[in-house]
Amino acid sequence: MITKRIIPCLDVRDGRVVKGQNFKGIKDVENPVTLAKYYNEQGADELVFYDITASFEGRRLFTDILTEVAKCVFIPLTVGGGINTVDDFDRVLKCGADKVSVNSGAIKNPDLIREAAKKYGNQCVVLSMDVKRVDGSFTVFAKGGRENTGIDAIEWAKRGVKNGAGEIVLNSIDTDGVKNGFDIEMLNAVCSVVNVPVIASGGAGSKEHFKTLFENTDASAGLAASIFHFGEVKIPELKQYLKNENIEMRII
């Protein structure tokens, strides 16, 4: 049985970890370095670091904070935000990232995934997708969920993997921050058309939601932010609960 992963997400704006609901109502949470150290000690399987306004503001990702975060974690670190060129991949990897997540940059230049995968390997390239239902169809949004691209999410996922993405982070805008559970329908739609790991993001509100996720989809990991940040669910307890439910976990 393949071990499932639990991944906290640091959404960083102006050097601080923040959290909102449905990509709106952003509130301050904590210093990213402090949280990164905490999750490393708590037994998180990986950590995701997003500079959430880099693409919208048309600037490069904050590498100074990223470097500090990378120094204090010893688990895989995925980084995204403002990744538009292969040079951006290079810069972020040199700061200590293990994988680079691309979203709006790949929408603007679909060849970016192919170029980065060729240079750094598929395992290094993560396609992050912000997806919302529009007129009954799963549609890709860009610039932190602000811009409707009109792109069909299922076709985009297939294209991304074909171009060389080794992993997909599927962010459901419909369930983001609502804490009513992961978007099972959306996840199954994407998991059924790709052969790479899919990380579920958006909607976690309890330990039971992770159980439902892993029992009803082929998702490789569950990603969450606020329930971990505010101590509503602690990672060691979540992992033990899932292990007791016969879901394979890495326990430290």
Side-chain angles (χ1 to χ4, degrees), residues 10-240:
L10 307 182
D11 290 325
V12 179
R13 183 178 72 175
D14 298 330
R16 298 283 295 179
V17 176
V18 296
K19 191 68 189 101
Q21 187 178 85
N22 301 122
F23 284 38
K24 298 175 182 177
I26 305 295
K27 298 177 182 177
D28 183 84
V29 178
E30 180 58 274
N31 177 289
V33 177
T34 302
L35 268 185
K37 288 179 181 176
Y38 171 73
Y39 289 132
N40 185 73
E41 294 164 358
Q42 285 281 297
D45 295 297
E46 296 187 18
L47 188 64
V48 169
F49 177 111
Y50 285 138
D51 185 341
I52 60 170
T53 57
S55 290
F56 177 69
E57 294 171 2
R59 59 168 173 78
R60 301 200 304 178
L61 181 144
F62 293 125
T63 50
D64 52 346
I65 300 161
L66 169 58
T67 301
E68 289 302 308
V69 167
K71 284 178 183 175
C72 67
V73 299
F74 304 97
I75 51 178
L77 175 63
T78 298
V79 177
I83 306 297
N84 295 298
T85 66
V86 173
D87 285 344
D88 289 331
F89 271 79
D90 188 65
R91 189 167 48 87
V92 169
L93 291 168
K94 284 177 177 173
C95 288
D98 298 286
K99 295 184 275 190
V100 181
S101 175
V102 60
N103 187 331
S104 298
I107 293 168
K108 287 186 287 187
N109 175 20
D111 287 332
L112 177 58
I113 291 174
R114 183 184 294 109
E115 293 165 4
K118 185 177 180 181
K119 185 169 183 179
Y120 299 110
N122 301 55
Q123 80 289 341
C124 187
V125 182
V126 179
L127 173 60
S128 180
M129 301 170 52
D130 295 330
V131 182
K132 186 176 183 179
R133 289 167 178 79
V134 178
D135 297 329
S137 297
F138 296 125
T139 304
V140 175
F141 278 65
K143 297 183 179 178
R146 296 173 178 84
E147 182 181 290
N148 183 349
T149 68
I151 298 171
D152 179 81
I154 307 305
E155 293 305 312
W156 183 237
K158 289 194 289 187
R159 184 177 179 184
V161 172
K162 183 179 179 181
N163 283 349
E167 192 167 64
I168 288 176
V169 176
L170 181 61
N171 310 299
S172 172
I173 297 175
D174 294 324
T175 62
D176 176 72
V178 179
K179 299 184 180 180
N180 286 334
F182 291 97
D183 200 323
I184 302 300
E185 180 190 21
M186 186 183 291
L187 284 157
N188 281 329
V190 171
C191 286
S192 67
V193 298
V194 298
N195 60 355
V196 299
V198 174
I199 298 172
S201 173
S206 69
K207 292 183 288 189
E208 290 75 20
H209 289 157
F210 287 87
K211 178 176 184 282
T212 300
L213 167 71
F214 293 132
E215 289 183 342
N216 293 279
T217 77
D218 289 326
S220 298
L223 181 150
S226 56
I227 61 164
F228 296 145
H229 297 344
F230 300 121
E232 297 163 41
V233 173
K234 291 189 168 57
I235 290 174
E237 296 169 7
L238 169 61
K239 285 189 160 190
Q240 191 58 58

